[in-house]
Amino acid sequence: LTYSVEACRMGNRTTFWLIWGIALIPMLAAFVMYFGGIGVPEGRTHHGELVPSGTQYSEWGLPAPNEPPTWQVVLASAADCDACQTFSEGLENFHTALGRERDRVSVSEVKASDLKEKQAAIWVIDPMGNVVLRFEPEINPTLILQDMKKLLKLSKVG
């Protein structure tokens, strides 16, 4: 079999454009997704409500981070909140359920009436004092536990 020079050039051009296509098509798709918002998934993996970035514990009246700094799960309970009472009773079990990461987390309870937002809630505060998540007291504690395990896995702080 003999190949002509022209056939060889056609093969080289095809290979050239295939390589460029393999590299450019995903980049163009990512560009369209990023700037056009097309095809971006709407799902989320956390169960709590994300608190706006940069919100410090002091802005809400939450307790200061412990020394050495740890993650904090703070129950802001109200007198008329049955879910708060239930969560409060299981606070020690919640802490134990964190397993080997429990040394990186402290749990505490404060009165919601002492906070800026006077509603009952469960707050997650990072070791730097940033308020990260807010949960309704009625939430299943297992969902908070899942979120905490993800945060602890991703964070090397605290």
PDB file of all heavy atoms in Angstrom, residues 3 10 21-22 27 33 35 44 48 52 56 68 105 113 120 157:
ATOM      1  N   TYR A   3       0.781   5.440   0.220  1.00  0.00           N
ATOM      2  CA  TYR A   3      -0.021   6.609   0.577  1.00  0.00           C
ATOM      3  C   TYR A   3       0.508   7.801  -0.168  1.00  0.00           C
ATOM      4  O   TYR A   3       1.707   7.984  -0.302  1.00  0.00           O
ATOM      5  CB  TYR A   3       0.086   6.899   2.081  1.00  0.00           C
ATOM      6  CG  TYR A   3      -0.622   5.877   2.930  1.00  0.00           C
ATOM      7  CD1 TYR A   3       0.071   4.866   3.571  1.00  0.00           C
ATOM      8  CD2 TYR A   3      -2.001   5.933   3.089  1.00  0.00           C
ATOM      9  CE1 TYR A   3      -0.568   3.941   4.344  1.00  0.00           C
ATOM     10  CE2 TYR A   3      -2.646   5.004   3.867  1.00  0.00           C
ATOM     11  CZ  TYR A   3      -1.938   4.017   4.500  1.00  0.00           C
ATOM     12  OH  TYR A   3      -2.575   3.109   5.260  1.00  0.00           O
ATOM     13  N   MET A  10      -4.064  15.108   4.868  1.00  0.00           N
ATOM     14  CA  MET A  10      -5.462  15.066   5.305  1.00  0.00           C
ATOM     15  C   MET A  10      -5.553  14.396   6.671  1.00  0.00           C
ATOM     16  O   MET A  10      -6.297  14.837   7.548  1.00  0.00           O
ATOM     17  CB  MET A  10      -6.334  14.334   4.282  1.00  0.00           C
ATOM     18  CG  MET A  10      -6.554  15.116   3.007  1.00  0.00           C
ATOM     19  SD  MET A  10      -7.393  16.665   3.306  1.00  0.00           S
ATOM     20  CE  MET A  10      -9.029  16.071   3.547  1.00  0.00           C
ATOM     21  N   GLY A  21     -10.474  20.118  19.001  1.00  0.00           N
ATOM     22  CA  GLY A  21     -11.884  19.951  19.358  1.00  0.00           C
ATOM     23  C   GLY A  21     -12.052  19.325  20.727  1.00  0.00           C
ATOM     24  O   GLY A  21     -12.890  19.758  21.529  1.00  0.00           O
ATOM     25  N   ILE A  22     -11.239  18.310  21.002  1.00  0.00           N
ATOM     26  CA  ILE A  22     -11.305  17.637  22.306  1.00  0.00           C
ATOM     27  C   ILE A  22     -10.962  18.623  23.423  1.00  0.00           C
ATOM     28  O   ILE A  22     -11.527  18.568  24.503  1.00  0.00           O
ATOM     29  CB  ILE A  22     -10.369  16.409  22.324  1.00  0.00           C
ATOM     30  CG1 ILE A  22     -10.945  15.312  21.436  1.00  0.00           C
ATOM     31  CG2 ILE A  22     -10.142  15.901  23.733  1.00  0.00           C
ATOM     32  CD1 ILE A  22     -10.006  14.146  21.189  1.00  0.00           C
ATOM     33  N   MET A  27     -14.193  23.386  27.132  1.00  0.00           N
ATOM     34  CA  MET A  27     -13.964  24.749  27.604  1.00  0.00           C
ATOM     35  C   MET A  27     -15.096  25.674  27.155  1.00  0.00           C
ATOM     36  O   MET A  27     -15.547  26.525  27.927  1.00  0.00           O
ATOM     37  CB  MET A  27     -12.615  25.257  27.114  1.00  0.00           C
ATOM     38  CG  MET A  27     -11.455  24.552  27.803  1.00  0.00           C
ATOM     39  SD  MET A  27      -9.850  25.168  27.312  1.00  0.00           S
ATOM     40  CE  MET A  27      -9.896  26.805  27.997  1.00  0.00           C
ATOM     41  N   MET A  33     -21.844  27.634  30.433  1.00  0.00           N
ATOM     42  CA  MET A  33     -22.478  27.332  31.717  1.00  0.00           C
ATOM     43  C   MET A  33     -22.194  28.427  32.738  1.00  0.00           C
ATOM     44  O   MET A  33     -23.080  28.849  33.472  1.00  0.00           O
ATOM     45  CB  MET A  33     -21.993  25.981  32.250  1.00  0.00           C
ATOM     46  CG  MET A  33     -22.532  24.791  31.495  1.00  0.00           C
ATOM     47  SD  MET A  33     -21.863  23.236  32.075  1.00  0.00           S
ATOM     48  CE  MET A  33     -22.707  23.072  33.643  1.00  0.00           C
ATOM     49  N   PHE A  35     -21.072  31.727  32.304  1.00  0.00           N
ATOM     50  CA  PHE A  35     -21.546  33.068  32.003  1.00  0.00           C
ATOM     51  C   PHE A  35     -23.012  33.101  31.605  1.00  0.00           C
ATOM     52  O   PHE A  35     -23.672  34.121  31.758  1.00  0.00           O
ATOM     53  CB  PHE A  35     -20.682  33.711  30.910  1.00  0.00           C
ATOM     54  CG  PHE A  35     -19.311  34.059  31.392  1.00  0.00           C
ATOM     55  CD1 PHE A  35     -18.217  33.323  30.998  1.00  0.00           C
ATOM     56  CD2 PHE A  35     -19.116  35.119  32.274  1.00  0.00           C
ATOM     57  CE1 PHE A  35     -16.945  33.631  31.455  1.00  0.00           C
ATOM     58  CE2 PHE A  35     -17.858  35.438  32.735  1.00  0.00           C
ATOM     59  CZ  PHE A  35     -16.766  34.695  32.325  1.00  0.00           C
ATOM     60  N   ARG A  44     -28.259  21.379  46.166  1.00  0.00           N
ATOM     61  CA  ARG A  44     -27.332  21.758  47.213  1.00  0.00           C
ATOM     62  C   ARG A  44     -27.084  20.542  48.077  1.00  0.00           C
ATOM     63  O   ARG A  44     -27.859  19.595  48.079  1.00  0.00           O
ATOM     64  CB  ARG A  44     -27.864  22.908  48.048  1.00  0.00           C
ATOM     65  CG  ARG A  44     -29.165  22.565  48.754  1.00  0.00           C
ATOM     66  CD  ARG A  44     -29.729  23.760  49.456  1.00  0.00           C
ATOM     67  NE  ARG A  44     -30.907  23.321  50.194  1.00  0.00           N
ATOM     68  CZ  ARG A  44     -31.221  23.716  51.384  1.00  0.00           C
ATOM     69  NH1 ARG A  44     -30.458  24.586  52.004  1.00  0.00           N
ATOM     70  NH2 ARG A  44     -32.281  23.283  51.989  1.00  0.00           N
ATOM     71  N   GLY A  48     -28.841  23.113  56.199  1.00  0.00           N
ATOM     72  CA  GLY A  48     -29.122  24.353  56.918  1.00  0.00           C
ATOM     73  C   GLY A  48     -29.167  25.534  55.965  1.00  0.00           C
ATOM     74  O   GLY A  48     -28.920  25.419  54.769  1.00  0.00           O
ATOM     75  N   PRO A  52     -24.958  34.784  55.430  1.00  0.00           N
ATOM     76  CA  PRO A  52     -24.116  35.595  54.551  1.00  0.00           C
ATOM     77  C   PRO A  52     -22.661  35.612  55.011  1.00  0.00           C
ATOM     78  O   PRO A  52     -22.371  35.711  56.199  1.00  0.00           O
ATOM     79  CB  PRO A  52     -24.734  36.988  54.638  1.00  0.00           C
ATOM     80  CG  PRO A  52     -26.153  36.745  55.026  1.00  0.00           C
ATOM     81  CD  PRO A  52     -26.142  35.509  55.885  1.00  0.00           C
ATOM     82  N   GLN A  56     -20.055  37.707  61.725  1.00  0.00           N
ATOM     83  CA  GLN A  56     -19.336  37.303  62.924  1.00  0.00           C
ATOM     84  C   GLN A  56     -20.305  36.971  64.053  1.00  0.00           C
ATOM     85  O   GLN A  56     -21.418  37.489  64.099  1.00  0.00           O
ATOM     86  CB  GLN A  56     -18.397  38.418  63.383  1.00  0.00           C
ATOM     87  CG  GLN A  56     -17.197  38.603  62.479  1.00  0.00           C
ATOM     88  CD  GLN A  56     -16.204  37.475  62.659  1.00  0.00           C
ATOM     89  OE1 GLN A  56     -15.762  37.180  63.752  1.00  0.00           O
ATOM     90  NE2 GLN A  56     -15.856  36.825  61.570  1.00  0.00           N
ATOM     91  N   PRO A  68      -8.635  26.359  72.871  1.00  0.00           N
ATOM     92  CA  PRO A  68      -8.254  26.668  71.501  1.00  0.00           C
ATOM     93  C   PRO A  68      -9.486  26.707  70.612  1.00  0.00           C
ATOM     94  O   PRO A  68     -10.498  26.084  70.933  1.00  0.00           O
ATOM     95  CB  PRO A  68      -7.328  25.511  71.128  1.00  0.00           C
ATOM     96  CG  PRO A  68      -7.755  24.379  71.976  1.00  0.00           C
ATOM     97  CD  PRO A  68      -8.247  24.993  73.256  1.00  0.00           C
ATOM     98  N   VAL A 105     -15.179  20.106  67.977  1.00  0.00           N
ATOM     99  CA  VAL A 105     -16.481  20.772  68.043  1.00  0.00           C
ATOM    100  C   VAL A 105     -16.906  20.924  69.501  1.00  0.00           C
ATOM    101  O   VAL A 105     -16.762  19.998  70.292  1.00  0.00           O
ATOM    102  CB  VAL A 105     -17.557  19.951  67.289  1.00  0.00           C
ATOM    103  CG1 VAL A 105     -18.916  20.625  67.371  1.00  0.00           C
ATOM    104  CG2 VAL A 105     -17.162  19.719  65.845  1.00  0.00           C
ATOM    105  N   SER A 113     -33.578  34.847  73.668  1.00  0.00           N
ATOM    106  CA  SER A 113     -33.911  36.229  74.039  1.00  0.00           C
ATOM    107  C   SER A 113     -32.665  37.096  74.233  1.00  0.00           C
ATOM    108  O   SER A 113     -32.731  38.313  74.185  1.00  0.00           O
ATOM    109  CB  SER A 113     -34.761  36.244  75.309  1.00  0.00           C
ATOM    110  OG  SER A 113     -34.060  35.614  76.369  1.00  0.00           O
ATOM    111  N   ALA A 120     -35.704  31.084  68.133  1.00  0.00           N
ATOM    112  CA  ALA A 120     -34.990  29.846  68.424  1.00  0.00           C
ATOM    113  C   ALA A 120     -34.345  29.335  67.142  1.00  0.00           C
ATOM    114  O   ALA A 120     -34.945  29.382  66.070  1.00  0.00           O
ATOM    115  CB  ALA A 120     -35.961  28.815  68.984  1.00  0.00           C
ATOM    116  N   VAL A 157      -9.091  23.694  59.891  1.00  0.00           N
ATOM    117  CA  VAL A 157      -9.035  24.660  60.987  1.00  0.00           C
ATOM    118  C   VAL A 157      -9.859  24.115  62.148  1.00  0.00           C
ATOM    119  O   VAL A 157     -10.915  23.561  61.968  1.00  0.00           O
ATOM    120  CB  VAL A 157      -9.581  26.018  60.532  1.00  0.00           C
ATOM    121  CG1 VAL A 157      -9.520  27.027  61.662  1.00  0.00           C
ATOM    122  CG2 VAL A 157      -8.843  26.515  59.310  1.00  0.00           C
TER     123      VAL A 157
END
